[in-house]
């Protein structure tokens, strides 16, 4: 039995909110919600894509992309801080996803630090792919 996208998001939100690295982070409950500068650092978890492929007569393979997005302000060390955030996200999330009986891996890490802001605010997005049979 495969887990719903909602259950995956909830498990990951619980994992990151319980990790010491994110104890002072604002956890935003939904994708697309803005974080005000005074709410930083913050993170959100969302599942923007799910693909299904027939894997036999009565079974399917589901691949769900789950993204943990971290946003924080910083100085000259902002990229280094975001890299540490990404490592902490992987350390918190992968054991949880694998413990749910899923095949999971971190697929990509994307960093964005706009150069036009007076205060540097950066975002790092860690994409996990979860494969389940249903």
């Amino acid at each position: 039995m495969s887990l719903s996208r909602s259950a995956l998001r909830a498990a990951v939100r619980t994992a990151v909110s319980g990790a010491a690295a994110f104890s002072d982070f604002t956890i935003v409950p939904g994708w697309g919600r803005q974080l005000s500068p005074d709410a930083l650092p913050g993170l959100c978890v969302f599942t923007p894509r799910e693909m299904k492929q027939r894997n036999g007569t009565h079974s399917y393979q589901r691949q769900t992309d789950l993204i943990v997005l971290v946003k924080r302000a910083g100085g000259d060390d902002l990229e280094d801080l975001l890299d540490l955030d990404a490592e902490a996200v992987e350390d918190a999330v992968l054991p949880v996803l694998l413990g749910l009986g899923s095949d999971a891996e971190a697929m990509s890490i994307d960093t964005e630090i706009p150069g036009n802001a007076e205060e540097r605010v950066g975002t790092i997005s860690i994409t996990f792919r979860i494969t389940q049979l249903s």
Side-chain angles (χ1 to χ4, degrees), residues 23-74:
S23 62
D24 63 338
F25 276 61
T26 302
I27 309 294
V28 179
W31 181 29
R33 302 207 33 210
Q34 294 295 322
L35 276 173
S36 63
D38 58 325
L40 295 179
L43 65 82
C44 67
V45 178
F46 55 99
T47 49
R49 179 179 26 257
E50 183 172 88
M51 299 156 284
K52 275 182 136 176
Q53 182 176 1
R54 189 177 294 277
N55 192 21
T57 307
H58 299 289
S59 65
Y60 289 89
Q61 176 178 293
R62 285 182 22 191
Q63 290 186 319
T64 305
D65 288 351
L66 181 141
I67 297 176
V68 178
L69 186 129
V70 177
K71 189 172 188 175
R72 68 161 57 239

Side-chain angles (χ1 to χ4, degrees), residues 43-125:
L43 65 82
C44 67
V45 178
F46 55 99
T47 49
R49 179 179 26 257
E50 183 172 88
M51 299 156 284
K52 275 182 136 176
Q53 182 176 1
R54 189 177 294 277
N55 192 21
T57 307
H58 299 289
S59 65
Y60 289 89
Q61 176 178 293
R62 285 182 22 191
Q63 290 186 319
T64 305
D65 288 351
L66 181 141
I67 297 176
V68 178
L69 186 129
V70 177
K71 189 172 188 175
R72 68 161 57 239
D76 292 338
D77 62 344
L78 180 57
E79 189 171 9
D80 293 335
L81 291 172
L82 290 168
D83 288 341
L84 292 172
D85 292 336
E87 289 176 22
V89 165
E90 285 189 69
D91 290 346
V93 170
L94 277 174
V96 169
L97 293 175
L98 294 171
L100 294 172
S102 305
D103 180 24
E105 60 183 322
M107 295 295 295
S108 66
I109 299 173
D110 299 297
T111 305
E112 181 183 352
I113 303 174
N116 58 355
E118 190 172 306
E119 181 180 9
R120 296 185 71 195
V121 175
T123 304
I124 196 158
S125 174

